[in-house]
Amino acid sequence: MDNVQNTVSKEEALLAKFEEKVQAGEAIEPRDWMPEAYRKHLIRQMSQHAHSEVIGMQPEGNWVTRAPSLRAKQILLAKIQDEGGHGLYLYSAAETLGISRKEMIEQLHNGKAKYSNIFNYPSLTWADIGAIGWLVDGAAIVNQVSLQRTSYAPYSRAMVRICKEESFHQRQGYEIMAQMMQGTEEQREMAQDAMNRWWWPSLMMFGPHDTDSPHSADAFRWKIKRHTNDELRQKFIDKTVQQAEVIGLTIPDPDLKWNEAKGCYDYGRIDWEEFNRVIRGNGPCNKQRLDHHKKVHADGAWVREAAEAYKNKHKKQSVNLN
């Protein structure tokens, strides 16, 4: 009985010290003690973030062979390569929490882990590539800039580099949309159509209202999260409305209007039923995205096996030399 009480007292002391450190704004490193709930929360969030970066390569990869110019193709290839790199940074950061990359991929494939709902929509035209870069990556930047100050140090450090590269992606997308709005009537209609289809899913990227989010309380308590979903969504809307006006695009929201008293835009109701439907796996491209990831992962097994064999071979040689 005494041993149990001592263990509980020790755990409480460690938790109190952890909470004090977090509230003081100090970073948590992988070897620091942390509560199991904090570790699990980070694994869920970081693995979902990593999966989103990798799955997000698919709708853009669909347009590599159909880009309208060599320059556009080069930029798109560089962007897709960046997204793959972001996934690797995040998988590596998540591995510091004691989970393997293999486990994370298995959780994605069996449906235990999720990725951002935005990547379950199709990229139908070249304008969609502009909308993804401008709106989707623009929304990601707003969220990820906040994560540069998250309490878990490896996650925070990964965000610094990712945000720099995402800003390039956002500019690439905006450039595509601006060029199309200066083109033919058909190109302008194509740009507006992409805007109409991607606007609301982009707002959904920030997640539900925090009162409806089961994970927000702990995220704020441990400073994993610094701003509410609604605060970040509002910041994105206020910035993006002005950018749309500059190039002549119309935001597809009849309720959108400037609120002088609040100093921000009021906007219409988000269709959370659609959000939940897509999250549950019933979006336009859920099955296609996951099936493609499973196939490519299986096809690449020989590469992972060869790399492992090479590593083991050189490990043996190193031991023999010693």
Side-chain angles (χ1 to χ4, degrees):
M1 187 68 177
D2 289 342
N3 288 338
V4 173
Q5 288 179 335
N6 288 338
T7 301
V8 171
S9 297
K10 185 179 179 182
E11 285 283 319
E12 288 174 345
L14 287 169
L15 179 59
K17 186 176 180 182
F18 172 85
E19 298 271 10
E20 183 182 338
K21 188 173 183 179
V22 168
Q23 295 308 314
E26 295 181 43
I28 304 300
E29 292 289 351
R31 293 185 179 181
D32 293 341
W33 185 92
M34 64 186 72
E36 184 62 14
Y38 177 83
R39 189 184 76 86
K40 286 182 176 179
H41 185 111
L42 282 167
I43 288 174
R44 180 194 61 79
Q45 180 171 329
M46 293 168 69
S47 65
Q48 178 177 310
H49 196 163
H51 298 326
S52 299
E53 295 283 357
V54 174
I55 295 288
M57 298 163 70
Q58 291 187 40
E60 295 177 314
N62 186 40
W63 279 90
V64 169
T65 58
R66 295 181 285 168
S69 68
L70 180 59
R71 176 179 179 273
K73 182 178 291 192
Q74 288 176 316
I75 293 172
L76 182 59
L77 280 168
K79 183 177 187 288
I80 294 169
Q81 179 177 285
D82 283 349
E83 305 294 5
H86 297 172
L88 291 177
Y89 304 155
L90 292 163
Y91 283 132
S92 295
E95 284 178 314
T96 65
L97 292 160
I99 187 170
S100 70
R101 194 167 312 188
K102 182 180 178 182
E103 288 176 278
M104 287 185 273
I105 298 298
E106 286 174 353
Q107 289 175 359
L108 173 65
H109 288 175
N110 65 29
K112 185 178 178 182
K114 304 292 184 184
Y115 56 89
S116 179
N117 69 310
I118 194 77
F119 299 118
N120 290 314
Y121 292 87
S123 53
L124 304 177
T125 70
W126 178 248
D128 287 47
I129 300 305
I132 290 170
W134 174 37
L135 299 176
V136 176
D137 291 329
I141 290 169
V142 171
N143 189 44
Q144 291 170 358
V145 164
S146 175
L147 286 172
Q148 288 180 337
R149 296 174 56 239
T150 194
S151 60
Y152 189 56
Y155 197 16
S156 172
R157 288 191 286 266
M159 283 300 101
V160 172
R161 178 165 181 175
I162 288 173
C163 284
K164 290 177 182 177
E165 293 175 348
E166 290 289 2
S167 64
F168 151 70
H169 302 169
Q170 196 263 354
R171 289 196 298 273
Q172 174 249 11
Y174 191 64
E175 178 187 83
I176 291 173
M177 298 298 267
Q179 288 176 341
M180 295 193 78
M181 289 303 291
Q182 294 171 359
T184 65
E185 181 63 28
E186 184 181 9
Q187 287 172 324
R188 290 194 293 274
E189 289 176 359
M190 191 182 294
Q192 184 62 56
D193 175 63
M195 178 74 176
N196 294 346
R197 287 183 289 107
W198 288 93
W199 175 252
W200 292 104
S202 295
L203 298 190
M204 295 175 196
M205 278 183 70
F206 295 97
H209 303 299
D210 285 278
T211 52
D212 301 323
S213 175
H215 305 292
S216 285
D218 284 342
F220 281 115
R221 175 187 170 194
W222 292 321
K223 297 191 184 297
I224 296 170
K225 191 173 182 178
R226 300 281 183 159
H227 300 282
T228 70
N229 294 345
D230 288 324
E231 286 172 344
L232 295 171
R233 187 169 17 248
Q234 188 68 61
K235 185 175 182 181
F236 170 72
I237 290 169
D238 293 342
K239 179 177 71 170
T240 308
V241 169
Q242 297 173 32
Q243 294 172 349
E245 288 174 351
V246 168
I247 60 177
L249 280 167
T250 302
I251 303 291
D253 180 358
D255 296 322
L256 186 76
K257 61 180 179 181
W258 179 255
N259 187 318
E260 193 66 44
K262 293 195 301 183
C264 62
Y265 284 93
D266 291 332
Y267 56 94
R269 180 184 173 279
I270 295 172
D271 186 353
W272 293 115
E273 289 181 8
E274 178 185 339
F275 172 82
N276 289 320
R277 186 169 63 250
V278 176
I279 288 292
R280 286 194 297 266
N282 298 315
C285 298
N286 291 63
K287 187 176 186 304
Q288 175 187 334
R289 298 286 185 249
L290 205 50
D291 284 352
H292 180 77
H293 191 280
K294 289 176 181 177
K295 180 182 182 303
V296 171
H297 186 72
D299 290 346
W302 70 272
V303 179
R304 296 189 296 276
E305 290 165 4
E308 187 68 22
Y310 181 81
K311 182 187 80 172
N312 292 334
K313 176 184 174 182
H314 281 265
K315 191 175 180 181
K316 271 186 188 176
Q317 289 176 344
S318 177
V319 170
N320 292 337
L321 285 172
N322 292 332

